[in-house]
Amino acid sequence: MEHSVAYSQFDRIELTAADLDIAAALAFVASPLAGGIDLFVGTTRAEQAGDGRELVALDYEAYVEMAIDRLRRLAADARRQWPIVKLAILHRTGRVPVGEPSVAIAVACGHRAEAFAACRWLIDTLKADVPIWKKEIWADGEGTWVHR
Amino acid sequence: MEHSVAYSQFDRIELTAADLDIAAALAFVASPLAGGIDLFVGTTRAEQAGDGRELVALDYEAYVEMAIDRLRRLAADARRQWPIVKLAILHRTGRVPVGEPSVAIAVACGHRAEAFAACRWLIDTLKADVPIWKKEIWADGEGTWVHR
Amino acid sequence: MTITVQFFALLRDRAGVGETKVSLPDGMTVEQAVDRLTAQFPAIVGAVSRIAFAVNREYADGQTILHDGDELALIPPVSGG
Amino acid sequence: MTITVQFFALLRDRAGVGETKVSLPDGMTVEQAVDRLTAQFPAIVGAVSRIAFAVNREYADGQTILHDGDELALIPPVSGG
């Protein structure tokens, strides 16, 4: 089960093994009622291990059904806290090479302060709460799960 | 003078009478050194005047040469405050209909907290500091300069 | 009763399976079920700093009573984003 | 000396021009130049809540001494973004 989308008229939640379509997320949240849109994109950052090995990618695994459910609740929780017009949360599964996006969160609100606050809360809470895991893939082929 | 671009390897600053190319701004800031990208997009929000007239657009005017110079300094000031990998600031001149973007700021940093903080500071400071003005264009054709 | 158990990430690697079915006495709690699982899959012990639980895709604590057909997931520290 | 003056937004509408050249005695300050301008363009008086100044595209205060060839801009409250 590598692809899963849930969306209402106002929220788009997507876990996908394909490249994230960030332009589509921005188009989805666009609205005449929005004055400010904040988009966060998390990408795989180049890193070097202590022994000099280079990171080549992150492999993402999700407990798909539960992750989608948690993301929908995050969206609902955000809507209780801020006056959100539309929002989109996209997250990758599978291999995400250095420089490529693994997560994108777009929030459209009437005013910018709310869009920034909701977007920041969503990415922070996603990282703490949603059952998705990353494995670091190093140039020598070794993989290390991140469970901090 | 309706179009002006200034960019170094790491900053792209653009004042333009054409539609903002937000995908290009995101592509410009992408980097293997970036872990988090924050993008703010300000759009013309539908509004109604007290007497029921509908807002149809905002007309933006800039003191172009000074505005470009101030935006470059804002970029430099942000770089002194946060470890920014790349950034792009695009602003429209001319008529921006309801629902269309007037400003886009994309900031790529190693980590998300810095990207959010720098992006927020840039839009707040742009709004307070840069010689650009908007005129509200109402459905009856009347225009009202915003000078709050 | 029979429940389905899900392992993820390093726990899946250590268990050697992503999913397994186990038969347990009726009325067992999550904690009691996990004790049985660590006996059956000793390699998961100490693999991660802490394990959270989900029953039927809801976070649940160790005292939650399990029922026939439940899906119990062992959730290592998450690292999405 | 001769300076170029720039008006923007509502001030441009009220002045009826975006740019004008004015001849002033050497050594005049921004404030003194603006006094002359308000006499020449009375419609700009009270048009906006406050006016900032820029000389040669740098924000400048009223005490700044002007020089021949300077560009003085009258900056009404900005509203970009």
mmCIF file of all heavy atoms in Angstrom, chain D residues 45-71:
data_model
loop_
_atom_site.group_PDB
_atom_site.id
_atom_site.type_symbol
_atom_site.label_atom_id
_atom_site.label_comp_id
_atom_site.label_asym_id
_atom_site.label_seq_id
_atom_site.Cartn_x
_atom_site.Cartn_y
_atom_site.Cartn_z
ATOM 1 N N VAL D 45 -0.569 68.481 1.343
ATOM 2 C CA VAL D 45 -0.593 68.734 2.799
ATOM 3 C C VAL D 45 -1.733 67.934 3.438
ATOM 4 O O VAL D 45 -2.877 68.005 2.994
ATOM 5 C CB VAL D 45 -0.760 70.236 3.100
ATOM 6 C CG1 VAL D 45 -0.870 70.460 4.614
ATOM 7 C CG2 VAL D 45 0.407 71.019 2.519
ATOM 8 N N GLY D 46 -1.401 67.161 4.440
ATOM 9 C CA GLY D 46 -2.413 66.392 5.159
ATOM 10 C C GLY D 46 -2.933 65.179 4.411
ATOM 11 O O GLY D 46 -3.849 64.505 4.886
ATOM 12 N N ALA D 47 -2.366 64.874 3.253
ATOM 13 C CA ALA D 47 -2.879 63.758 2.440
ATOM 14 C C ALA D 47 -2.667 62.414 3.132
ATOM 15 O O ALA D 47 -3.509 61.521 3.031
ATOM 16 C CB ALA D 47 -2.211 63.749 1.065
ATOM 17 N N VAL D 48 -1.553 62.275 3.816
ATOM 18 C CA VAL D 48 -1.232 61.002 4.477
ATOM 19 C C VAL D 48 -0.831 61.285 5.911
ATOM 20 O O VAL D 48 -0.519 62.426 6.280
ATOM 21 C CB VAL D 48 -0.106 60.238 3.732
ATOM 22 C CG1 VAL D 48 -0.541 59.916 2.301
ATOM 23 C CG2 VAL D 48 1.200 61.021 3.735
ATOM 24 N N SER D 49 -0.822 60.210 6.735
ATOM 25 C CA SER D 49 -0.606 60.386 8.172
ATOM 26 C C SER D 49 0.811 60.871 8.478
ATOM 27 O O SER D 49 1.040 61.544 9.474
ATOM 28 C CB SER D 49 -0.876 59.070 8.901
ATOM 29 O OG SER D 49 -0.028 58.050 8.412
ATOM 30 N N ARG D 50 1.765 60.475 7.632
ATOM 31 C CA ARG D 50 3.140 60.956 7.837
ATOM 32 C C ARG D 50 3.902 60.708 6.544
ATOM 33 O O ARG D 50 3.527 59.836 5.761
ATOM 34 C CB ARG D 50 3.771 60.265 9.057
ATOM 35 C CG ARG D 50 4.491 58.974 8.815
ATOM 36 C CD ARG D 50 4.647 58.113 10.069
ATOM 37 N NE ARG D 50 4.028 56.817 9.818
ATOM 38 C CZ ARG D 50 4.578 55.870 9.057
ATOM 39 N NH1 ARG D 50 5.753 56.052 8.484
ATOM 40 N NH2 ARG D 50 3.957 54.726 8.855
ATOM 41 N N ILE D 51 4.950 61.497 6.333
ATOM 42 C CA ILE D 51 5.782 61.354 5.139
ATOM 43 C C ILE D 51 7.212 61.077 5.584
ATOM 44 O O ILE D 51 7.750 61.798 6.433
ATOM 45 C CB ILE D 51 5.741 62.636 4.274
ATOM 46 C CG1 ILE D 51 4.309 62.914 3.789
ATOM 47 C CG2 ILE D 51 6.684 62.515 3.074
ATOM 48 C CD1 ILE D 51 4.168 64.203 2.984
ATOM 49 N N ALA D 52 7.788 60.030 5.033
ATOM 50 C CA ALA D 52 9.218 59.787 5.248
ATOM 51 C C ALA D 52 9.962 60.331 4.030
ATOM 52 O O ALA D 52 9.352 60.636 3.001
ATOM 53 C CB ALA D 52 9.490 58.299 5.432
ATOM 54 N N PHE D 53 11.268 60.484 4.148
ATOM 55 C CA PHE D 53 12.053 61.040 3.053
ATOM 56 C C PHE D 53 13.159 60.066 2.652
ATOM 57 O O PHE D 53 13.664 59.297 3.481
ATOM 58 C CB PHE D 53 12.708 62.361 3.486
ATOM 59 C CG PHE D 53 11.749 63.291 4.169
ATOM 60 C CD1 PHE D 53 11.929 63.651 5.498
ATOM 61 C CD2 PHE D 53 10.636 63.783 3.491
ATOM 62 C CE1 PHE D 53 11.030 64.493 6.146
ATOM 63 C CE2 PHE D 53 9.729 64.630 4.131
ATOM 64 C CZ PHE D 53 9.930 64.979 5.459
ATOM 65 N N ALA D 54 13.493 60.118 1.379
ATOM 66 C CA ALA D 54 14.683 59.400 0.919
ATOM 67 C C ALA D 54 15.481 60.357 0.047
ATOM 68 O O ALA D 54 14.913 61.106 -0.758
ATOM 69 C CB ALA D 54 14.306 58.152 0.128
ATOM 70 N N VAL D 55 16.783 60.373 0.269
ATOM 71 C CA VAL D 55 17.687 61.160 -0.583
ATOM 72 C C VAL D 55 18.588 60.166 -1.310
ATOM 73 O O VAL D 55 19.242 59.334 -0.673
ATOM 74 C CB VAL D 55 18.518 62.152 0.247
ATOM 75 C CG1 VAL D 55 19.538 62.872 -0.645
ATOM 76 C CG2 VAL D 55 17.606 63.165 0.934
ATOM 77 N N ASN D 56 18.538 60.248 -2.620
ATOM 78 C CA ASN D 56 19.309 59.310 -3.446
ATOM 79 C C ASN D 56 19.043 57.859 -3.042
ATOM 80 O O ASN D 56 19.933 57.040 -2.921
ATOM 81 C CB ASN D 56 20.800 59.646 -3.399
ATOM 82 C CG ASN D 56 21.066 61.057 -3.894
ATOM 83 O OD1 ASN D 56 20.316 61.591 -4.729
ATOM 84 N ND2 ASN D 56 22.084 61.696 -3.348
ATOM 85 N N ARG D 57 17.749 57.575 -2.814
ATOM 86 C CA ARG D 57 17.250 56.216 -2.549
ATOM 87 C C ARG D 57 17.692 55.622 -1.220
ATOM 88 O O ARG D 57 17.694 54.394 -1.044
ATOM 89 C CB ARG D 57 17.633 55.284 -3.704
ATOM 90 C CG ARG D 57 17.068 55.817 -5.015
ATOM 91 C CD ARG D 57 17.733 55.255 -6.223
ATOM 92 N NE ARG D 57 17.292 55.969 -7.417
ATOM 93 C CZ ARG D 57 17.764 55.768 -8.637
ATOM 94 N NH1 ARG D 57 18.685 54.839 -8.836
ATOM 95 N NH2 ARG D 57 17.320 56.446 -9.656
ATOM 96 N N GLU D 58 18.068 56.538 -0.274
ATOM 97 C CA GLU D 58 18.352 56.127 1.105
ATOM 98 C C GLU D 58 17.392 56.884 2.003
ATOM 99 O O GLU D 58 17.236 58.106 1.840
ATOM 100 C CB GLU D 58 19.767 56.572 1.530
ATOM 101 C CG GLU D 58 20.892 55.846 0.905
ATOM 102 C CD GLU D 58 21.203 54.548 1.621
ATOM 103 O OE1 GLU D 58 20.587 54.276 2.675
ATOM 104 O OE2 GLU D 58 22.038 53.809 1.109
ATOM 105 N N TYR D 59 16.783 56.211 2.978
ATOM 106 C CA TYR D 59 15.967 56.935 3.943
ATOM 107 C C TYR D 59 16.832 58.010 4.597
ATOM 108 O O TYR D 59 18.015 57.779 4.885
ATOM 109 C CB TYR D 59 15.389 55.987 4.998
ATOM 110 C CG TYR D 59 14.219 55.159 4.479
ATOM 111 C CD1 TYR D 59 14.324 53.777 4.358
ATOM 112 C CD2 TYR D 59 13.018 55.761 4.114
ATOM 113 C CE1 TYR D 59 13.270 53.013 3.886
ATOM 114 C CE2 TYR D 59 11.958 55.006 3.634
ATOM 115 C CZ TYR D 59 12.078 53.638 3.520
ATOM 116 O OH TYR D 59 11.033 52.892 3.045
ATOM 117 N N ALA D 60 16.261 59.194 4.784
ATOM 118 C CA ALA D 60 17.029 60.329 5.310
ATOM 119 C C ALA D 60 16.114 61.134 6.221
ATOM 120 O O ALA D 60 14.891 61.137 6.041
ATOM 121 C CB ALA D 60 17.515 61.205 4.159
ATOM 122 N N ASP D 61 16.696 61.827 7.209
ATOM 123 C CA ASP D 61 15.833 62.634 8.077
ATOM 124 C C ASP D 61 15.762 64.068 7.578
ATOM 125 O O ASP D 61 16.423 64.453 6.599
ATOM 126 C CB ASP D 61 16.258 62.533 9.547
ATOM 127 C CG ASP D 61 17.597 63.177 9.811
ATOM 128 O OD1 ASP D 61 18.004 64.067 9.040
ATOM 129 O OD2 ASP D 61 18.227 62.792 10.807
ATOM 130 N N GLY D 62 14.922 64.862 8.230
ATOM 131 C CA GLY D 62 14.643 66.223 7.780
ATOM 132 C C GLY D 62 15.854 67.151 7.827
ATOM 133 O O GLY D 62 15.886 68.179 7.138
ATOM 134 N N GLN D 63 16.834 66.804 8.617
ATOM 135 C CA GLN D 63 18.016 67.667 8.771
ATOM 136 C C GLN D 63 19.088 67.408 7.712
ATOM 137 O O GLN D 63 20.105 68.127 7.666
ATOM 138 C CB GLN D 63 18.626 67.474 10.172
ATOM 139 C CG GLN D 63 17.656 67.763 11.318
ATOM 140 C CD GLN D 63 16.852 69.029 11.086
ATOM 141 O OE1 GLN D 63 17.404 70.105 10.833
ATOM 142 N NE2 GLN D 63 15.518 68.908 11.130
ATOM 143 N N THR D 64 18.871 66.398 6.893
ATOM 144 C CA THR D 64 19.870 66.058 5.866
ATOM 145 C C THR D 64 20.062 67.238 4.903
ATOM 146 O O THR D 64 19.093 67.815 4.417
ATOM 147 C CB THR D 64 19.389 64.819 5.070
ATOM 148 O OG1 THR D 64 19.116 63.767 6.007
ATOM 149 C CG2 THR D 64 20.424 64.365 4.057
ATOM 150 N N ILE D 65 21.298 67.592 4.651
ATOM 151 C CA ILE D 65 21.626 68.694 3.723
ATOM 152 C C ILE D 65 21.553 68.153 2.286
ATOM 153 O O ILE D 65 22.099 67.092 1.993
ATOM 154 C CB ILE D 65 23.067 69.205 3.986
ATOM 155 C CG1 ILE D 65 23.264 69.594 5.455
ATOM 156 C CG2 ILE D 65 23.410 70.355 3.017
ATOM 157 C CD1 ILE D 65 22.620 70.891 5.857
ATOM 158 N N LEU D 66 20.881 68.911 1.444
ATOM 159 C CA LEU D 66 20.753 68.506 0.041
ATOM 160 C C LEU D 66 21.880 69.089 -0.816
ATOM 161 O O LEU D 66 22.425 70.147 -0.485
ATOM 162 C CB LEU D 66 19.395 68.972 -0.500
ATOM 163 C CG LEU D 66 18.190 68.250 0.122
ATOM 164 C CD1 LEU D 66 16.890 68.999 -0.178
ATOM 165 C CD2 LEU D 66 18.111 66.813 -0.376
ATOM 166 N N HIS D 67 22.179 68.400 -1.888
ATOM 167 C CA HIS D 67 23.221 68.855 -2.816
ATOM 168 C C HIS D 67 22.681 68.852 -4.242
ATOM 169 O O HIS D 67 21.729 68.119 -4.541
ATOM 170 C CB HIS D 67 24.449 67.938 -2.708
ATOM 171 C CG HIS D 67 25.055 67.926 -1.345
ATOM 172 N ND1 HIS D 67 24.667 67.021 -0.382
ATOM 173 C CD2 HIS D 67 25.984 68.735 -0.772
ATOM 174 C CE1 HIS D 67 25.349 67.255 0.731
ATOM 175 N NE2 HIS D 67 26.151 68.297 0.520
ATOM 176 N N ASP D 68 23.321 69.626 -5.084
ATOM 177 C CA ASP D 68 22.899 69.729 -6.474
ATOM 178 C C ASP D 68 22.828 68.320 -7.100
ATOM 179 O O ASP D 68 23.738 67.499 -6.924
ATOM 180 C CB ASP D 68 23.904 70.580 -7.256
ATOM 181 C CG ASP D 68 23.411 70.863 -8.674
ATOM 182 O OD1 ASP D 68 22.272 71.349 -8.831
ATOM 183 O OD2 ASP D 68 24.165 70.557 -9.625
ATOM 184 N N GLY D 69 21.745 68.067 -7.783
ATOM 185 C CA GLY D 69 21.599 66.775 -8.463
ATOM 186 C C GLY D 69 20.980 65.682 -7.605
ATOM 187 O O GLY D 69 20.719 64.582 -8.088
ATOM 188 N N ASP D 70 20.725 65.980 -6.323
ATOM 189 C CA ASP D 70 20.135 64.952 -5.449
ATOM 190 C C ASP D 70 18.726 64.574 -5.913
ATOM 191 O O ASP D 70 18.015 65.381 -6.515
ATOM 192 C CB ASP D 70 20.045 65.461 -4.004
ATOM 193 C CG ASP D 70 21.365 65.280 -3.245
ATOM 194 O OD1 ASP D 70 22.304 64.676 -3.810
ATOM 195 O OD2 ASP D 70 21.451 65.765 -2.094
ATOM 196 N N GLU D 71 18.349 63.347 -5.589
ATOM 197 C CA GLU D 71 16.970 62.889 -5.817
ATOM 198 C C GLU D 71 16.294 62.792 -4.457
ATOM 199 O O GLU D 71 16.693 61.979 -3.613
ATOM 200 C CB GLU D 71 16.981 61.527 -6.522
ATOM 201 C CG GLU D 71 15.587 60.961 -6.779
ATOM 202 C CD GLU D 71 15.624 59.702 -7.644
ATOM 203 O OE1 GLU D 71 16.095 59.793 -8.793
ATOM 204 O OE2 GLU D 71 15.199 58.631 -7.160
#
